[in-house]
Amino acid sequence: MAATLLAFVPAFMPQSLFYFLPRVSAEERTTCISNVALYLGVAGIAAALIVSPINPLISGPVKQLSIDSNGMVPVFLAAWILVSLNTTMPVAEGRIFWQANFDVILSLLRTGLLCFAALFIGTLLSIVYALLIDACARVIVMALYIFTREAKPKLSFCFDRGLRQFRYSLPFAISNSLFLFRAQIDQWAVAFTTGASALAVFSIGAVLNPIASLIRQPLYNSTAPRLSASFTQHDFHASRELISGGISYTVTILIPAVGGFFLISRELIALVYTVQYLDALPVMHAYLVGIGISSVSVSYALPSINKGSFAVKNNALCLTLSALLSITFCLWLGPVGAAIGSVVTLVVSETWSMRAIAVALETTIFKLLPVPIIAWVFSATAICFYISTTTSPVYDKSTILVLISKATLYILTLSICAVIFHVFDFKKLLKTT
């Protein structure tokens, strides 16, 4: 429930700080932050009222959950929406280490509270209270950040500026919603065109999909303010360098990861889900290709150059395309067809986004791409994959030994490539991103 509300209710307002803060004075920064905090507070209260028992339209299970938690679930959701500001505010002001430190501390606190509630109390109410304590701690951290900033006044609101922030954010909020639907359309295609067993196979094949987001999200958070500032100053060379450096970073991490999962995918499915689900292998391979393609994605840069209307158009048309391709290919090829349709749509969407960004930065697609690094990393990964596949010992009855031997050889050969050829030079990549 919290994840669903967080996907829609904040309406991209926290991320708008990446765009506005590099463009305004210190005093106006306070106004931008205060406007977002006010919006999230009001939106959180509205969301809490929607899921509370006083709403006559709420479904039975959600209403019962609120009653069983003594009304704490709506309070938690309101607080959780408010503290979504913590995910962008410090980074947008360049205080990355401040956010990183408190993220670690608060994550440890959350884990400790949930473990204590689950192991020593074991009731729904105790878990809800643990989550609420975590949310309240994050509210305190947010207030601590706001009121210890050097800027004065500490809070300042402006309706006109808030309206401009909302107008900027709304297209991206719509675009994100369309993207979330697009991310689920292949699963719906399998559900409508095949049986429950095929859907289970498809779900297992898609289990690695979040990897790309886990790698790309920190990149977006760290580069968005600088990209926005360079674009505002018409320093397109710096913008191109940031985007190219970001691609180098994701390629260097994701391509070897994709190669590794390709290598052990059969053993991984057999070990975790049993051999009867090996039909998920083609689906997993199709999505691994998609993860590899997403390593050169630049769509995260669209908010920094204020391409909201383009993002809506892109995701709306690609949602339709994904539905058509996923259903058509699924009827033709089975579950793997839905995955192929999704990957083809990804290629179309990212190519279109890359062209729009290249035009905005007065360059070409190929100048945005760090072709030498892509070629080096891909070649090194392919060689390591081949060596690991052909030289790994064969164990007739032990899946775990096959997995360990393949993974060990792959990591070893990658390490040798990194040392000898400097293919994976992370220090250099970190300087560029």
Side-chain angles (χ1 to χ4, degrees), residues 87-217:
T87 62
T88 60
M89 178 173 55
V91 177
E93 291 201 296
R95 300 174 69 179
I96 297 175
F97 289 105
W98 194 98
Q99 177 163 354
N101 290 332
F102 275 95
D103 277 348
V104 171
I105 294 170
L106 292 171
S107 295
L108 292 174
L109 173 65
R110 178 186 177 89
T111 302
L113 288 170
L114 289 175
C115 288
F116 179 82
L119 295 175
F120 296 101
I121 304 176
T123 63
L124 172 65
L125 190 59
S126 66
I127 293 175
V128 171
Y129 274 112
L131 291 171
L132 185 59
I133 292 171
D134 173 50
C136 290
R138 292 171 188 269
V139 171
I140 292 171
V141 168
M142 183 183 75
L144 180 67
Y145 180 91
I146 290 175
F147 288 101
T148 56
R149 294 172 67 248
E150 295 182 0
K152 293 182 180 181
K154 301 302 182 183
L155 290 175
S156 174
F157 303 96
C158 176
F159 178 79
D160 290 338
R161 180 168 293 279
L163 190 59
R164 288 199 298 272
Q165 288 176 261
F166 185 75
R167 285 174 177 168
Y168 162 83
S169 301
L170 185 58
F172 292 108
I174 296 171
S175 173
N176 284 353
S177 299
L178 292 170
F179 180 80
L180 289 174
F181 285 125
R182 194 181 109 197
Q184 298 294 325
I185 201 69
D186 46 5
Q187 187 172 351
W188 284 107
V190 174
F192 280 118
T193 57
T194 61
S197 60
L199 181 59
V201 166
F202 181 84
S203 299
I204 291 170
V207 73
L208 297 177
N209 283 357
I211 290 175
S213 297
L214 290 174
I215 299 300
R216 289 170 56 198
Q217 191 60 44

Side-chain angles (χ1 to χ4, degrees), residues 178-259:
L178 292 170
F179 180 80
L180 289 174
F181 285 125
R182 194 181 109 197
Q184 298 294 325
I185 201 69
D186 46 5
Q187 187 172 351
W188 284 107
V190 174
F192 280 118
T193 57
T194 61
S197 60
L199 181 59
V201 166
F202 181 84
S203 299
I204 291 170
V207 73
L208 297 177
N209 283 357
I211 290 175
S213 297
L214 290 174
I215 299 300
R216 289 170 56 198
Q217 191 60 44
L219 170 70
Y220 166 68
N221 287 345
S222 62
T223 60
R226 287 180 291 163
L227 186 58
S228 180
S230 63
F231 186 78
T232 302
Q233 297 162 6
H234 296 283
D235 188 356
F236 295 156
H237 175 74
S239 299
R240 291 192 294 268
E241 288 295 312
L242 282 169
I243 291 174
S244 181
I247 294 174
S248 300
Y249 165 83
T250 53
V251 163
T252 305
I253 295 177
L254 282 179
I255 295 299
V258 166

